[in-house]
Amino acid sequence: DGGITQSPKYLFRKEGQNVTLSCEQNLNHDAMYWYRQDPGQGLRLIYYSQIVNDFQKGDIAEGYSVSREKKESFPLTVTSAQKNPTAFYLCASSGDGGSNYGYTFGSGTRLTVV
Amino acid sequence: DAKTTQPPSMDCAEGRAANLPCNHSTISGNEYVYWYRQIHSQGPQYIIHGLKNNETNEMASLIITEDRKSSTLILPHATLRDTAVYYCIVRVTNTGNQFYFGTGTSLTVIP
């Protein structure tokens, strides 16, 4: 079945360490996105990529970095510069720029920094 | 910022219709209204979307007012599994492909 896979589901890291969250899709979607969700809050856009080797900052990109070397993969690195990294991270993809295409989401990675 | 306004929470009796409202008074003519829902600690799930006309699928119905400034998602026979946070989203077409999510409506279906 086609879909988006995020791994791991739970991740624990020490403060000051960089950590990379994986996002892989086999839907042949061009666009991919990373969102952050804090308890009781909506989703906030971190980064997005509409095509391989290109990506743009979202609303809360500070302290994060991404790469898009392959169409299927859009990993997110949470750097030590991110002041409050503990959150639920969601990856999504969509078919193209057309208005009819919605998002397909992964099941998320819950990151806890101790 | 999200361009929609939703009530923070609603209750609905099991088996009854759940009507979830959304205001999007600044919507542009070529922007679609999408609805997603998120069950606790999972990724959001697509429900339905529309532009002008009312839409129906196996999950829900979407009613969009004639002036397109508001819409209502209808779950015709709510079950306990419909308890979730429901997001109404207007697609921001002029800034690429992003969706902007607000805080949504937390729907609780009561037995």
Side-chain angles (χ1 to χ4, degrees), chain A residues 30-46:
Chain A
D30 289 312
M32 297 185 74
Y33 314 82
W34 275 105
Y35 286 89
R36 169 184 172 137
Q37 186 173 35
D38 294 284
Q41 302 296 313
L43 282 67
R44 292 185 290 168
L45 183 65
I46 305 173

Side-chain angles (χ1 to χ4, degrees), chain B residues 10-105:
Chain B
M10 292 181 64
D11 293 337
C12 177
E14 189 178 16
R16 296 292 188 103
N19 298 297
L20 290 87
C22 180
N23 288 323
H24 30 79
S25 58
T26 61
I27 191 170
S28 300
N30 61 349
E31 289 181 316
Y32 285 70
V33 179
Y34 282 78
W35 283 84
Y36 282 77
R37 73 180 183 184
Q38 185 179 23
I39 296 170
H40 182 64
S41 293
Q42 297 182 21
Q45 174 192 24
Y46 167 83
I47 302 173
I48 199 167
H49 74 283
L51 182 64
K52 294 180 183 178
N53 299 322
N54 298 336
E55 302 288 344
T56 296
N57 63 21
E58 64 278 4
M59 291 181 68
S61 294
L62 174 60
I63 308 298
I64 302 175
T65 58
E66 192 169 343
D67 63 9
R68 300 188 69 237
K69 293 185 177 182
S70 65
S71 60
T72 301
L73 178 75
I74 300 173
L75 308 178
H77 304 288
T79 70
L80 298 179
R81 287 181 294 181
D82 291 323
T83 293
V85 176
Y86 288 78
Y87 297 98
C88 167
I89 304 153
V90 169
R91 190 179 191 93
V92 183
T93 56
N94 65 343
T95 53
N97 211 29
Q98 307 96 302
F99 282 97
Y100 286 91
F101 287 76
T103 52
T105 296

